[in-house]
Amino acid sequence: MANLRFEVVAEAFKKKPLEVIAPVERPSEYFGKNTFNRAKMYKYLPRDVYEKLIDVIDNGARLDRSIADAVAKGMKQWADENGVTHYTHWFQPLTEGTAEKHDAFIEHDGKGGMIEDFSGKLLVQQEPDASSFPSGGIRNTFEARGYSAWDPTSPVFIMDDTLCIPTVFISYTGEALDYKAPLLRALHAVNVAATDVCHYFYPNVKKVQSNLGWEQEYFLVDEDLYSARPDLMLTGRTLMGHDSAKNQQMDDHYFGTIPERVQAFMKDLEIQALELGIPCKTRHNEVAPNQFEVAPIFEETNLAVDHNMLLMSLMKKVARKHGFRALLHEKPFDGINGSGKHNNWSLSTDTGILLHGPGKTPEDNLRFVVFIVETLMAVYKHNGLLKASIMSAGNAHRLGANEAPPAIISSFLGKQVSDLLEHIEKSDKKDLFTLEGKQGMKMNIPEIPELKIDNTDRNRTSPFAFTGNRFEFRAVGSEANCAAAMIVLNTAVAEALTNFKNRVDALIVKGEEKNSAILDVIRDDIKTCKPIHFDGNGYSDEWVVEAEKRGLDCEKSCPKIFERYLDPDSIKMFESMDVLKKYELEARNEVKWETYTKKIQIEARVMGDLSMNHIIPVATHYQSQLAKNVQSMYDIFPKEKAANLTSRNVKIIEEIAERTQIIETGVEELIAARKVANKIESVHEKAIAYHDTVEPKMAEIRYQIDKLELVVADELWTLPKYRELLFIR
């Protein structure tokens, strides 16, 4: 009987690139085509309404609901001209994805007919069913009311025939049920705190903005092969599969030539992303086979988060159009690199980047050091919480492998910045200092111009590395909402800057000169946060030992890492910065623990199903074929010769029997472990039980299955193998 797997693989290899017809215009001319950006606002809104709305966006003025009808009218006119028939409030619940409910632009006309209408009331506020989204107990199932409210700082956009309005999502009693609401609060907190500190150096600064540039890694898999792998379909990752003889060991995929089908997909994705105002700039092959990356230009953090969520949704849609499935799971394939989402973070004012150095004056350099050190203080004090912000069931498979940052938060600074901080720490002088800019490097090749060398190298093993004018938070997972990490980071930096200013002001009140007071406080903070500074190899065993000595959080259990959200210091930080209340944090942790449990539970069920309905039947069928062969050999040849001729087959028969028995027993134990864990009432303890007792049994079963894959005849194995999943062109 023909193996369906072979037919699927053969069809996948035959697929040709889908032709993508690019717009005639240059990208700059169609950028933002499908967003209600400032140019559209200026065109479709009355002048006074436009100015009020821009004041809200740029200066944080409160939205005057009296202008909502005029804004809605302008949006509706633009939407009509683009064939839009529906609108939706687009928000980010605690499901890690996005949500939307589409309504048509129709109302009763009072005469038995319909009219098309879109009012300011519908623009500003809607009422999604809050009971059907994760709330961690904030809302009872029978209490359904929740509200979505327009976020005017993120542009409205068109997807297909729908006007999408970015919104926050809160409960009837006011608690945040999403990521955007606390993110906006965190960004406000860091704006206030950083602006206050900026006034030591630049009295005219009016606003500090948090910026984010994410780098999105992902895998592409042929859709037919994806459909033949139930584990990929239901969990996002392969729960079994032996290494391909060739994977990433030759380092030939990284920055390699992009395959034609993938190039067509990337081109299509970029065009649609640019039309939505997502400033995609970079694309390339990543390290693992069939792994790729897309990255945009830096944007304001709230907008960047929205754009990343939108791009992930768009990526899945465009991939299917090209016969692919986009995999965003952090570790879809065992034994090769997983996917991350590096969050490049910085702070800037209307005059420049606060983390950019060296400056043109000693005061600029002091400013640079202040913001570097206080960021380090935030990361040091809340290193466990930062780890909790990026941890998930998927990312737990990626972190700590020799491919991604370790599951210990530390910060790389580079030699020049490290030497500077050490000099300040040990110096008693009150005078300011200078920093060297980029140095030249001559290649001794006449045709090559002099290279400008940055004042820091890059450390790929550092989870939080300084890279010249920003910090790169490399530990964020591919599938994650960037907001989770950005909420913690910006809140922690706001707290550190607030604390810094309070101490400096106290010294100034006592009569100390301003710069001298700043240096005194900075010197203390450099000493305090020294344990978080590590420029070495984060993959080494020695670093784990050293990190424990330094008091850094070295916990590896995902459910226990989530506990850091409820540490007294974490609660104090969130409440003092007015970002989240204690009961909101407790509710969010309930969601995190429950989500973790459900993901492992689904994986365990899929593992049991595939083991009993795919793997064992295939293995025993091959075993039966071998047994018949052995028996026939004994019928033909003398006993001793038959025994010699069938020895290999007999060994395989025995190995299959042993391994299938272990698998069957393992599945029974896996089910029993789930049943025990499911009886635990506490969602916290249940998540820990799934981590400690259920997940390890899955690893044991996988080991046996992967060994069977090597001995069972290839024509019988029903699941597409790694060599087929990873090398489709």
Side-chain angles (χ1 to χ4, degrees):
M1 185 176 71
N3 189 330
L4 179 61
R5 174 179 129 241
F6 291 158
E7 296 177 14
V8 171
V9 172
E11 287 301 314
F13 273 108
K14 292 178 183 177
K15 288 182 180 177
K16 301 296 182 183
L18 183 68
E19 183 181 2
V20 179
I21 301 175
V24 177
E25 311 100 320
R26 299 180 63 81
S28 59
E29 295 173 325
Y30 62 82
F31 178 74
K33 170 186 174 183
N34 291 328
T35 63
F36 196 67
N37 53 24
R38 295 185 186 225
K40 311 281 194 335
M41 293 177 193
Y42 188 82
K43 178 179 178 180
Y44 290 95
L45 301 182
R47 181 63 58 85
D48 62 325
V49 172
Y50 169 80
E51 291 175 352
K52 288 181 180 179
L53 188 55
I54 293 301
D55 190 33
V56 171
I57 296 170
D58 287 347
N59 304 317
R62 185 170 295 278
L63 177 67
D64 183 354
R65 290 187 67 142
S66 66
I67 70 169
D69 282 333
V71 175
K73 182 179 179 181
M75 285 184 183
K76 174 69 163 50
Q77 182 182 350
W78 172 65
D80 286 343
E81 292 174 5
N82 285 274
V84 171
T85 58
H86 290 68
Y87 67 93
T88 184
H89 275 201
W90 182 82
F91 57 97
Q92 301 165 28
L94 301 180
T95 57
E96 301 295 331
T98 59
E100 53 197 66
K101 173 176 70 75
H102 297 201
D103 288 307
F105 286 126
I106 58 172
E107 298 290 343
H108 284 293
D109 65 357
K111 302 174 184 177
M114 289 286 184
I115 59 171
E116 293 183 345
D117 187 37
F118 182 56
S119 66
K121 179 182 177 181
L122 297 176
L123 166 65
V124 171
Q125 182 176 318
Q126 275 195 329
E127 187 184 326
D129 185 349
S131 68
S132 298
F133 291 99
S135 70
I138 285 179
R139 302 293 290 149
N140 292 314
T141 302
F142 60 86
E143 295 175 317
R145 182 159 284 165
Y147 298 113
S148 55
W150 175 36
D151 170 20
T153 64
S154 186
V156 169
F157 58 93
I158 293 173
M159 283 289 283
D160 299 321
D161 64 351
T162 303
L163 185 72
C164 299
I165 305 161
T167 64
V168 300
F169 181 42
I170 62 172
S171 74
Y172 177 70
T173 46
E175 297 88 0
L177 297 178
D178 69 342
Y179 284 100
K180 181 183 278 285
L183 175 63
L184 290 173
R185 294 174 191 153
L187 297 178
H188 174 71
V190 80
N191 171 29
V192 171
T195 300
D196 284 346
V197 172
C198 273
H199 288 163
Y200 287 138
F201 313 101
Y202 319 116
N204 295 327
V205 166
K206 296 179 180 179
K207 179 182 178 181
V208 172
Q209 177 176 286
S210 169
N211 301 311
L212 171 63
W214 41 263
E215 303 169 32
Q216 179 71 58
E217 295 174 345
Y218 61 95
F219 281 86
L220 289 177
V221 173
D222 189 272
E223 186 164 27
D224 293 338
L225 295 174
Y226 171 89
S227 299
R229 290 287 310 222
D231 48 355
L232 270 180
M233 292 177 63
L234 298 176
T235 73
R237 74 182 184 103
T238 53
L239 300 177
M240 55 199 68
H242 199 279
D243 290 350
S244 170
K246 179 185 184 299
N247 47 52
Q248 67 187 43
Q249 65 265 51
M250 297 300 293
D251 299 321
D252 54 344
H253 193 259
Y254 191 51
F255 282 17
T257 302
I258 300 172
E260 282 187 81
R261 281 183 65 199
V262 176
Q263 182 94 351
F265 156 78
M266 288 179 168
K267 180 179 179 180
D268 200 355
L269 177 65
E270 285 180 1
I271 291 170
Q272 295 191 44
L274 289 167
E275 289 178 341
L276 286 166
I278 306 172
C280 292
K281 181 177 178 65
T282 302
R283 65 188 185 199
H284 63 81
N285 287 7
E286 257 299 334
V287 174
N290 273 19
Q291 186 187 33
F292 308 94
E293 180 178 296
V294 57
I297 300 171
F298 271 67
E299 298 182 284
E300 184 274 328
T301 296
N302 177 49
L303 181 58
V305 169
D306 281 1
H307 278 168
N308 182 246
M309 297 301 292
L310 180 55
L311 183 97
M312 288 193 290
S313 177
L314 187 65
M315 180 184 293
K316 294 175 183 178
K317 176 183 173 182
V318 176
R320 295 196 68 176
K321 175 181 172 183
H322 290 262
F324 290 117
R325 284 294 185 128
L327 303 182
L328 295 174
H329 192 287
E330 284 77 13
K331 192 75 170 178
F333 302 102
D334 191 45
I336 64 173
N337 277 18
S339 295
K341 178 151 47 197
H342 305 166
N343 278 208
N344 295 279
W345 172 88
S346 68
L347 294 174
S348 64
T349 71
D350 47 344
T351 60
I353 301 173
L354 294 177
L355 299 176
H356 192 280
K360 296 180 180 179
T361 67
E363 286 75 16
D364 277 345
N365 292 328
L366 181 58
R367 171 268 308 159
F368 167 74
V369 169
V370 165
F371 280 93
I372 289 289
V373 172
E374 293 314 310
T375 300
L376 293 177
M377 282 290 288
V379 175
Y380 169 61
K381 183 176 181 181
H382 297 290
N383 70 93
L385 178 61
L386 272 172
K387 180 164 69 175
S389 75
I390 53 86
M391 187 53 68
S392 67
N395 212 18
H397 292 289
R398 167 180 167 260
L399 296 181
N402 284 359
E403 60 176 78
I408 302 170
I409 301 297
S410 64
S411 186
F412 165 86
L413 299 177
K415 187 177 187 305
Q416 184 180 0
V417 177
S418 298
D419 289 348
L420 171 63
L421 297 190
E422 184 177 0
H423 169 75
I424 296 172
E425 176 191 353
K426 294 179 179 179
S427 174
D428 292 329
K429 295 180 180 180
K430 303 295 185 182
D431 56 326
L432 300 185
F433 42 84
T434 59
L435 286 168
E436 294 182 2
K438 292 187 177 183
Q439 304 298 307
M441 176 189 286
K442 293 185 178 180
M443 298 290 291
N444 294 324
I445 305 174
E447 295 83 0
I448 304 298
E450 182 180 69
L451 301 180
K452 293 295 183 180
I453 307 302
D454 289 286
N455 54 24
T456 65
D457 197 354
R458 286 179 180 262
N459 186 325
R460 297 182 65 83
T461 73
S462 177
F464 197 83
F466 181 65
T467 57
N469 59 3
R470 65 191 183 276
F471 281 96
E472 184 179 13
F473 195 7
R474 297 176 55 85
V476 182
S478 170
E479 201 169 20
N481 187 326
C482 296
M486 291 297 100
I487 290 167
V488 172
L489 178 58
N490 283 285
T491 307
V493 172
E495 181 193 52
L497 290 170
T498 300
N499 181 268
F500 165 80
K501 186 173 188 304
N502 289 340
R503 288 179 291 149
V504 170
D505 286 351
L507 292 177
I508 293 174
V509 168
K510 291 179 181 179
E512 189 165 352
E513 189 270 330
K514 181 190 72 175
N515 286 345
S516 175
I518 290 173
L519 282 168
D520 281 344
V521 175
I522 281 297
R523 188 173 292 112
D524 288 341
D525 286 352
I526 290 172
K527 295 174 183 177
T528 300
C529 69
K530 186 176 287 188
I532 204 69
H533 177 199
F534 179 66
D535 284 358
N537 181 8
Y539 295 158
S540 68
D541 294 335
E542 292 79 9
W543 167 232
V544 177
V545 176
E546 174 62 23
E548 289 177 348
K549 290 180 181 177
R550 295 186 184 191
L552 302 181
D553 192 309
C554 298
E555 180 60 62
K556 296 180 180 179
S557 166
C558 185
K560 291 181 179 178
I561 289 170
F562 289 148
E563 295 171 9
R564 301 287 73 77
Y565 272 97
L566 301 180
D567 286 347
D569 282 346
S570 300
I571 294 171
K572 180 181 178 182
M573 178 194 78
F574 281 118
E575 291 195 329
S576 66
M577 295 294 106
D578 198 25
V579 173
L580 288 164
K581 302 297 184 185
K582 179 181 178 181
Y583 61 89
E584 288 180 294
L585 291 167
E586 290 171 339
R588 284 166 181 266
N589 260 30
E590 293 276 311
V591 174
K592 290 179 183 293
W593 285 317
E594 188 174 25
T595 299
Y596 176 86
T597 296
K598 287 178 178 178
K599 286 188 175 181
I600 304 302
Q601 185 181 71
I602 291 170
E603 289 185 353
R605 286 177 170 177
V606 174
M607 172 71 82
D609 174 40
L610 289 179
S611 297
M612 303 305 294
N613 293 304
H614 281 256
I615 305 304
I616 290 180
V618 168
T620 53
H621 179 63
Y622 182 53
Q623 186 183 46
S624 297
Q625 287 185 349
L626 294 178
K628 290 179 182 179
N629 174 267
V630 170
Q631 185 61 51
S632 64
M633 297 293 275
Y634 273 94
D635 291 341
I636 298 172
F637 298 104
K639 185 176 181 180
E640 289 185 4
K641 187 172 183 179
N644 183 51
L645 293 173
T646 60
S647 61
R648 178 181 178 276
N649 284 354
V650 170
K651 287 181 180 178
I652 295 175
I653 291 170
E654 291 175 346
E655 181 178 352
I656 291 174
E658 292 170 358
R659 295 196 186 281
T660 53
Q661 185 176 13
I662 294 172
I663 291 170
E664 189 169 356
T665 301
V667 171
E668 291 172 356
E669 293 176 351
L670 183 65
I671 294 171
R674 283 203 342 256
K675 288 181 177 179
V676 171
N678 289 340
K679 292 179 181 178
I680 300 173
E681 293 187 6
S682 164
V683 292
H684 178 206
E685 296 302 321
K686 183 184 292 186
I688 291 174
Y690 262 86
H691 176 274
D692 293 349
T693 65
V694 176
E695 198 167 8
K697 295 188 182 301
M698 293 171 60
E700 296 168 7
I701 295 170
R702 174 174 189 149
Y703 175 80
Q704 301 298 331
I705 292 174
D706 290 355
K707 290 296 183 181
L708 280 178
E709 185 182 319
L710 293 178
V711 299
V712 172
D714 187 59
E715 69 268 16
L716 296 179
W717 200 260
T718 57
L719 301 176
K721 298 183 176 183
Y722 273 21
R723 68 169 184 260
E724 297 155 350
L725 291 166
L726 291 170
F727 294 97
I728 296 298
R729 292 292 182 262

